[in-house]
Amino acid sequence: EVQLVESGGGSVQVGGSLRLSCAAPWSMYSNSCMGWFRQGPGKEREGVAAIATGGGSTAYADSVKDRFTISRDNAKNTLYLQMDSLKPEDTAMYYCAATFKHPCLRLTTESYNYWGQGTQVTVS
């Protein structure tokens, strides 16, 4: 079973920063499209950011554009989400996701096959 493992969540003040990480096995990481999603209290899961296999192309939800940065370190099989200027509405469980289906850069949940367990981010 493929395992995606998120880390880096926590509690932060408004305006602060956090960096989330997602470790994936090489068999999953090497040729997969990856993305970050979040699900706030009482809300549906929504796409936050996505990145192509090589890392050269990215896509963002309008709500996080210019504040969040998605990146991947292919040498470490790790996906990142740098979150700056955090707002209370960013409070959510954050999930990383992966798929072998192309094209990449999609922000819909049905586009991804593999999911991590999530890491909680709380902004207050």
Side-chain angles (χ1 to χ4, degrees), residues 14 19 27 41 65 71 76 90 97 103 123:
V14 173
R19 188 176 80 156
S27 58
K65 202 170 293 183
S71 62
K76 296 182 178 179
D90 295 319
V123 184

Side-chain angles (χ1 to χ4, degrees), residues 49 60 64 67-71 80-84:
Y60 297 92
V64 306
R67 298 189 299 121
F68 290 11
T69 303
I70 188 172
S71 62
Y80 300 101
L81 183 68
Q82 177 67 41
M83 305 185 295
D84 299 317

